[in-house]
Amino acid sequence: MVAETTLAPVPELPEVETVRTELAPAMTGRTFERVEILDGRLVAPDDPRGVAAELEGERVDRVGRRGKYLVISFESGRALLCHLRMTGSFLLEPDDADPYARAVIELDDGRTVVYRDIRRFGTWRLLEPGEIEPYLAVRLGVEPLESRFTAAWLGARMAGRRAPVKAAILDQRTVAGLGNIYADEALWRAGIHPLRPAGNLDAAEVGRLRRTIRAALRHGIARQGATLSDYRRPNGGTGSMQNEFHVYGRLGEPCDRCGTPIAKTRAGGRGSAFCPRCQAAGVDLAYVTPRK
Ligand SMILES: [Zn+2]
């Protein structure tokens, strides 16, 4: 079995959206009065003291999200792009002596927001007004929950590709914000094997996959994300999506649809859970399914 703990699940769209939802009411309209960046790695290669000084005095216009980026937009037109990577989180009621605190923001209403990150892979990047759109445009495709995420878009992104469909939908330029967990869930819902070549899906399958990607992400948002690894919501609460996964983390357990034990393979370098029976259509099982 793959040591999934060493590849800890990262916050994906539903988790980042949950963070945004809780952070927005606390930050919107507030000014960053004092900012301390305790870990230079957070803003590397920029100078942490310089970035902190630039952030002081900025007033928050909006807390948004693009893909897995939290986008804190300021009235000045600048934006702070935060990527939580594996273990980053924002806390509105922080512990005083949190050893994993990497940055502290004091707001003008007296509230303190702490950014904590155990593995230290998270990043903050302060961008000037003209830099924001180009920065995001080269990294991210359309938002899967917006209307522009059509079957035609998804089909065009996968056309002619021999890469496994799982790898194709993990490409942030194809489905912004989708990660390993919700990709596995979406493929199971669609009945599509993770190792099917992306370009071999027919129009009906692409349409189905578009719908199930959206459904899996919406389900995750409704449960306030999945609490795995060190994901914590800004108010200190947890998500509950981990209790409702169909395939992710359920190796050997019976498929919710057909009872077949959930299996695991690797696609695009990532562990991929799937049902060998429900997701068998169109694949050469002798080739893709490990035999017992
Ligand atoms: Zn099944």
Side-chain angles (χ1 to χ4, degrees):
M1 177 172 168
V2 179
E4 204 66 55
T5 45
T6 60
L7 294 166
V10 303
E12 302 183 19
L13 187 156
E15 288 75 31
V16 181
E17 181 60 24
T18 302
V19 171
R20 188 201 70 74
T21 303
E22 293 188 1
L23 217 48
M27 276 192 174
T28 307
R30 300 263 69 92
T31 298
F32 282 16
E33 209 158 73
R34 213 177 68 81
V35 177
E36 199 178 355
I37 294 170
L38 306 165
D39 182 356
R41 196 167 150 176
L42 187 59
V43 295
D46 295 329
D47 168 50
R49 257 177 273 179
V51 174
E54 292 291 329
L55 285 169
E56 288 179 351
E58 289 285 357
R59 188 169 168 195
V60 179
D61 177 46
R62 184 168 177 272
V63 180
R65 180 192 56 73
R66 265 293 271 135
K68 299 179 196 171
Y69 289 93
L70 195 68
V71 183
I72 303 174
S73 304
F74 300 109
E75 287 179 354
S76 64
R78 293 161 135 188
L80 180 65
L81 266 56
C82 306
H83 200 302
L84 308 175
R85 299 292 168 193
M86 293 172 79
T87 56
S89 59
F90 282 91
L91 292 178
L92 293 167
E93 283 157 35
D95 299 331
D96 282 342
D98 186 340
Y100 301 112
R102 305 294 177 202
V104 180
I105 302 166
E106 287 178 19
L107 302 174
D108 61 345
D109 62 354
R111 195 159 201 182
T112 299
V113 182
V114 163
Y115 173 78
R116 85 193 288 271
D117 194 344
I118 295 173
R119 301 284 298 269
R120 303 170 64 205
F121 290 124
T123 56
W124 282 16
R125 197 169 182 94
L126 178 62
L127 295 179
E128 297 300 323
E131 298 174 334
I132 303 162
E133 276 317 306
Y135 185 91
L136 293 171
V138 296
R139 290 168 173 80
L140 303 173
V142 299
E143 286 291 318
L145 297 179
E146 289 181 1
S147 56
R148 284 192 304 147
F149 183 66
T150 59
W153 157 271
L154 185 58
R157 288 288 310 173
M158 299 203 296
R161 291 188 62 178
R162 287 161 64 188
V165 58
K166 168 73 180 286
I169 61 174
L170 283 180
D171 183 340
Q172 297 298 293
R173 292 164 301 178
T174 298
V175 191
L178 193 69
N180 205 37
I181 297 175
Y182 295 94
D184 281 0
E185 294 295 311
L187 288 167
W188 178 85
R189 285 173 184 244
I192 295 170
H193 197 289
L195 291 179
R196 286 274 301 281
N200 285 13
L201 268 59
D202 65 28
E205 288 171 321
V206 172
R208 207 157 70 224
L209 183 57
R210 170 191 168 268
R211 283 196 304 277
T212 62
I213 287 170
R214 290 160 70 103
L217 292 172
R218 285 204 174 108
H219 192 179
I221 291 170
R223 297 293 177 268
Q224 297 173 301
T227 302
L228 300 162
S229 186
D230 297 289
Y231 168 71
R232 272 208 277 165
R233 285 160 41 200
N235 67 16
T238 56
S240 65
M241 188 59 219
Q242 70 280 3
N243 302 322
E244 298 180 36
F245 289 145
H246 294 291
V247 285
Y248 184 84
R250 295 194 61 227
L251 182 65
E253 292 178 31
C255 169
D256 291 337
R257 220 159 23 203
C258 75
T260 302
I262 298 301
K264 200 161 181 179
T265 184
R266 286 187 80 72
R270 307 293 301 273
S272 299
F274 68 103
C275 171
R277 187 168 170 194
C278 295
Q279 294 172 256
V283 282
D284 179 352
L285 288 179
Y287 167 62
V288 299
T289 309
R291 296 292 181 185
K292 287 199 181 115

